[in-house]
Amino acid sequence: MAKALVVYFSRAGENYSVGNVEVGNTELFAKNIVEQLKADGHEVDEFKIEPVVPYPEGYDDCVAKATEERTMQDRPEYVGDVDLEPYSTIFIGYPIWWGDMPMIVYNFLEKHTYTGKNIAPFCTSEGSGESGTFNTISNLAVGGIMQEGLAMPGTLARQEGGKKQVQYWVGQMGI
């Protein structure tokens, strides 16, 4: 079977609609994908995009920092990296921050080559849906084969219903 990679950025701390959490919504979503892929017999690895300089834990402070990054078009550095070569399918996950992907996710996407790879984006938000980011990823992942993405409310990612959506989505992918 094909080897898959689940790459994601997620932030713990104070989150909109779910309060102060030890594990971010997108990380829970990513873990559900990994679990489902393994249950389906796939070999799967994961890579969490960890900022070199952590984002503030407080919601308002994080909003201010993320707004500054977006305004300045910063590309925050992250710890380590992963070689995409061994993987045929790459899941890329992130929260929607005020209508867009966090800038650290742009940094990851821009550093890699996706030719011939299945690209499956997923994201969490609290009302923004995917905000056009699946199309953005399609434009950045040049040569990649875009799969149908999945956007989920962060509150749902924390519930059994979210897990069931992930099971269905991964199962429909045919990888």
Side-chain angles (χ1 to χ4, degrees):
M1 282 203 153
K3 191 171 182 181
L5 174 67
V6 179
V7 175
Y8 63 95
F9 169 73
S10 189
R11 187 185 143 280
E14 186 181 9
N15 276 247
Y16 187 78
S17 289
V18 296
N20 214 345
V21 296
E22 290 186 27
V23 178
N25 301 329
T26 307
E27 184 167 354
L28 292 174
F29 195 162
K31 298 291 186 185
N32 284 333
I33 293 168
V34 169
E35 181 180 314
Q36 187 59 44
L37 287 167
K38 286 181 178 179
D40 290 346
H42 292 281
E43 185 177 346
V44 60
D45 293 324
E46 60 185 283
F47 178 77
K48 183 176 182 182
I49 300 169
E50 295 271 8
V52 169
V53 178
Y55 285 94
E57 287 213 16
Y59 180 78
D60 290 337
D61 292 337
C62 186
V63 168
K65 178 67 176 161
T67 300
E68 176 187 325
E69 287 176 357
R70 189 173 56 198
T71 300
M72 302 302 292
Q73 290 295 297
D74 285 346
R75 298 297 193 263
E77 291 298 320
Y78 53 89
V79 178
D81 208 354
V82 62
D83 178 10
L84 303 185
E85 184 58 35
Y87 306 98
S88 61
T89 301
I90 302 162
F91 292 82
I92 301 174
Y94 48 90
I96 296 294
W97 280 3
W98 311 281
D100 203 354
M101 294 182 286
M103 299 311 289
I104 196 168
V105 177
Y106 278 92
N107 189 11
F108 180 89
L109 288 165
E110 292 165 350
K111 283 186 176 181
H112 294 91
T113 302
Y114 302 91
T115 303
K117 309 285 184 195
N118 292 305
I119 307 297
F122 65 98
C123 63
T124 58
S125 73
E126 287 306 325
S128 302
E130 54 93 13
S131 289
T133 58
F134 295 169
N135 189 50
T136 300
I137 290 172
S138 179
N139 292 331
L140 291 172
V142 176
I145 304 158
M146 288 300 291
Q147 303 297 310
E148 182 178 340
L150 180 60
M152 179 183 301
T155 50
L156 183 58
R158 308 188 84 72
Q159 300 171 13
E160 189 62 28
K163 191 172 189 175
K164 289 181 190 290
Q165 279 191 12
V166 167
Q167 290 170 341
Y168 179 78
W169 176 59
V170 170
Q172 294 300 306
M173 216 166 281
I175 58 168

